[in-house]
């Protein structure tokens, strides 16, 4: 009969595993072996790809050198010297920006001239409005004065006619007739002048001026019959 091994009395320096734990560790070891093989395979593929990229890079460098040599030959043939393409590109960009700035400056100057012209037109229109308003006001004041004078003359004429019809004086009849004729002519002339001023006022109104109408004259009072 085989004797069973007894555990040591001191377990402080021992590592104890269960059977399940040992099985999991063994399985993990197998997994790590497989992962290591996969990593070696990927490393081999990466090395092969690196060599391929190195060959392609060498071919591209050789192609670039060939193209640069051809560009240099063309520059020497066309310009007689090597041209700095980077500086030429920067100059083209700066030239475009400068042309854009010039266009903006021209547009700004054009707008400033247009604004100045409109300001001058507005100022002239304001002056014309003030002048027209003053002319309208003066014409209406003149109409008011003429209407007042006409009313006074008509009142005087009525008084003369009433006095002539009420009292007959042979020695002064001719003078009264002359005076009445003169007053009638004055009234007619003032009526024509009033009509002419009304026409002028209407023309000024069509220009857009504001008219300040004076107070109408009082009506002529007729003497009692």
């Amino acid at each position: 009969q085989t004797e069973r091994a007894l555990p040591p009395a001191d377990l402080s320096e021992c590592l104890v595993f269960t059977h399940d734990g040992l099985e999991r560790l063994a399985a993990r070891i197998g997994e790590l072996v497989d992962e290591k093989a996969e990593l070696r395979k990927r490393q081999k593929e990466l090395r092969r790809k690196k060599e391929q990229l190195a060959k392609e890079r060498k071919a591209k460098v050789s192609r670039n050198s060939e193209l640069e040599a051809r560009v240099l030959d063309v520059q020497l043939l066309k310009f007689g010297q090597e041209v700095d393409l980077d500086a030429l590109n920067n100059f083209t960009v700066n030239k475009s920006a400068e042309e854009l700035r010039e266009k903006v400056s021209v547009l700004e100057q054009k707008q400033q001239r247009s604004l100045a012209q409109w300001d001058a037109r507005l100022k002239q229109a304001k002056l014309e409005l003030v002048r027209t308003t003053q002319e309208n006001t003066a014409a209406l004041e003149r109409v008011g004065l003429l209407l007042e004078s006409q009313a006074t003359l008509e009142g005087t004429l009525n008084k003369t006619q009433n006095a002539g019809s009420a009292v007959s004086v042979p020695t002064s009849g001719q003078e009264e007739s002359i005076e009445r004729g003169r007053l009638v002519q004055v009234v007619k002339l003032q009526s024509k002048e009033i009509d002419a001023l009304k026409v002028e006022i209407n023309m000024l109104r069509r220009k857009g001026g504001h008219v300040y109408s004076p107070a109408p004259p009082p009506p002529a009072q007729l003497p009692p019959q």
Side-chain angles (χ1 to χ4, degrees):
Q1 183 177 0
T2 305
E3 296 182 358
R4 298 178 62 184
L6 297 177
D10 186 8
L11 299 176
S12 59
E13 296 182 357
C14 297
L15 184 61
V16 179
F17 284 95
T18 63
H19 289 288
D20 293 336
L22 288 174
E23 290 177 357
R24 286 197 298 271
L25 287 175
R28 180 58 181 161
I29 290 172
E31 292 175 355
L32 292 175
V33 171
D34 294 338
E35 291 178 2
K36 182 178 180 181
E38 182 67 23
L39 289 175
R40 285 181 177 177
K41 182 179 179 181
R42 291 182 59 187
Q43 184 180 14
K44 186 176 181 180
E45 292 177 356
L46 290 175
R47 285 179 180 175
R48 185 170 61 253
K49 189 173 183 179
K50 178 182 177 182
E51 292 175 357
Q52 181 181 356
L53 291 175
K55 292 179 180 179
E56 292 178 358
R57 181 177 180 276
K58 185 176 180 180
K60 290 184 179 296
V61 169
S62 176
R63 177 62 177 169
N64 288 337
S65 299
E66 181 182 353
L67 292 175
E68 288 177 356
R70 290 179 60 184
V71 169
L72 180 60
D73 292 339
V74 172
Q75 291 178 354
L76 294 176
L77 180 63
K78 190 171 183 179
F79 303 106
Q81 61 180 1
E82 183 178 2
V83 178
D84 190 350
L85 297 179
D86 292 334
L88 181 61
N89 188 25
N90 293 331
F91 175 76
T92 303
V93 173
N94 293 334
K95 184 178 180 181
S96 300
E98 185 65 25
E99 290 177 354
L100 183 60
R101 282 194 294 268
E102 290 179 359
K103 291 181 179 179
V104 171
S105 178
V106 171
L107 288 176
E108 289 179 349
Q109 293 176 3
K110 185 177 180 180
Q111 290 179 353
Q112 290 177 356
R113 289 194 298 268
S114 179
L115 288 175
Q117 292 176 357
W118 280 109
D119 289 339
R121 292 179 181 178
L122 180 60
K123 184 177 180 180
Q124 184 64 29
K126 289 180 178 180
L127 293 176
E128 183 68 19
L129 178 61
V130 172
R131 185 185 65 80
T132 305
T133 302
Q134 292 175 350
E135 291 179 357
N136 289 346
T137 304
L140 282 178
E141 290 177 352
R142 177 62 177 164
V143 169
L145 293 175
L146 289 175
L147 289 174
E148 184 178 358
S149 176
Q150 185 181 17
T152 302
L153 290 174
E154 288 177 352
T156 303
L157 181 60
N158 291 332
K159 289 180 180 180
T160 303
Q161 290 176 349
N162 291 331
S165 61
V167 180
S168 179
V169 183
T171 56
S172 59
Q174 185 177 3
E175 294 177 359
E176 290 178 357
S177 178
I178 294 173
E179 180 65 18
R180 283 196 301 270
R182 186 183 66 80
L183 292 175
V184 170
Q185 291 298 323
V186 172
V187 171
K188 289 182 178 180
L189 289 175
Q190 288 184 350
S191 297
K192 291 181 179 180
E193 187 174 358
I194 290 172
D195 292 337
L197 287 172
K198 288 180 179 179
V199 173
E200 183 178 355
I201 289 171
N202 290 329
M203 293 177 61
L204 293 174
R205 280 176 175 169
R206 284 196 292 270
K207 293 182 179 179
H210 297 280
V211 179
Y212 301 95
S213 300
Q221 297 181 355
L222 298 176
Q225 305 225 346

